[in-house]
Amino acid sequence: MDVRTFTGGGFGQNAYLTVCGRSAVAIDPGAAASRMAGAIAAERLRLEAIVLTHAHVDHIEGVAEVHAVAPDAPIWIHPGALPMYRALPHQAAAFGLQVSAQPEPTHELRHGQRLDLGECALDVRDAPGHAPGHVILVAPDRSFAIVGDVVFQGSIGRTDLPGGDFRTLMKSIREQVLTLPDDTILYSGHGPATTVGHERVGNPFLVPHYGGELA
Ligand SMILES: [Zn+2]
Ligand SMILES: [Zn+2]
């Protein structure tokens, strides 16, 4: 499975396209959605689904643009993230942005579920704490995980936005991210990719003397 990154916007948001043979899955289409849509069209990929880690504005503002490439493609989101998804125009206004509503999701993500999307497969793990209904998506062979805003290279997701909670986030990181093998690549919602092993020993929020033991 090939993972391509599309970064854009004032938040420097990373959208990902997993490509398996001719199948493609769009994850968190944000400000760079037009480039992602262009790549899908130019390479004649089959867009099997749009999957959302959570419903913050920067991760969903490009759903309509990518969905236009394949209007029959299902849109997956955790039910806990649906209220925020549907309130997008209000959420955007809180950041001083104008973003119109996006297409209604069609499928619900559940913890422990394996998504079989054409030739691509992804395992779903609940990882709340940064935002309600946040999930991470793990390759079945655990070679990589798309972690949204749960953990970043050297940092963790903010917990001061509505529905955020520090202890819940730390528990999610310990139980859902740090249980993956050290060589699992982590693709985050912002910033460069990293690995589980790198964050386990080098992330100041996760090593004990900075408070990582609170989780
Ligand atoms: Zn977020
Ligand atoms: Zn984000």
Side-chain angles (χ1 to χ4, degrees):
M1 203 164 1
D2 190 24
V3 181
R4 317 228 186 126
T5 308
F6 297 84
T7 307
F11 297 102
Q13 189 265 349
N14 294 325
Y16 295 101
L17 190 69
T18 64
V19 179
C20 328
R22 305 309 306 165
S23 292
V25 178
I27 298 163
D28 289 0
S34 58
R35 272 187 281 130
M36 180 187 274
I40 294 167
E43 297 176 45
R44 298 173 185 271
L45 298 170
R46 196 169 54 238
L47 182 65
E48 306 284 359
I50 295 172
V51 184
L52 305 168
T53 63
H54 65 300
H56 281 155
V57 53
D58 50 328
H59 293 254
I60 64 173
E61 64 182 324
V63 169
E65 204 162 0
V66 170
H67 199 238
V69 171
D72 293 333
I75 301 172
W76 291 80
I77 195 168
H78 190 282
L82 258 180
M84 196 173 268
Y85 185 94
R86 289 176 175 148
L88 175 60
H90 303 282
Q91 191 200 145
F95 289 98
L97 304 170
Q98 260 199 320
V99 182
S100 47
Q102 300 293 313
E104 181 67 9
T106 58
H107 291 65
E108 293 190 350
L109 298 169
R110 285 188 322 275
H111 181 75
Q113 177 182 46
R114 174 161 295 173
L115 302 178
D116 282 305
L117 307 167
E119 297 168 59
C120 296
L122 293 165
D123 290 334
V124 179
R125 293 183 174 203
D126 283 356
H130 166 72
H134 198 305
V135 302
I136 66 170
L137 303 163
V138 182
D141 66 1
R142 298 175 161 214
S143 57
F144 71 86
I146 292 171
V147 294
D149 291 354
V150 170
V151 62
F152 306 111
Q153 186 192 78
S155 189
I156 60 172
R158 58 191 285 188
T159 53
D160 59 321
L161 295 171
D165 181 76
F166 177 74
R167 280 177 182 271
T168 304
L169 178 64
M170 294 301 280
K171 186 170 189 281
S172 292
I173 294 170
R174 295 235 168 258
E175 294 181 358
Q176 307 304 336
V177 178
L178 297 184
T179 48
L180 294 166
D182 275 350
D183 59 356
T184 301
I185 298 168
L186 300 177
Y187 293 103
S188 299
H190 306 266
T194 182
T195 64
V196 171
H198 188 87
E199 299 313 307
R200 193 193 304 283
V201 299
N203 188 314
F205 290 92
L206 304 182
V207 296
H209 57 279
Y210 283 109
E213 76 277 13
L214 286 176

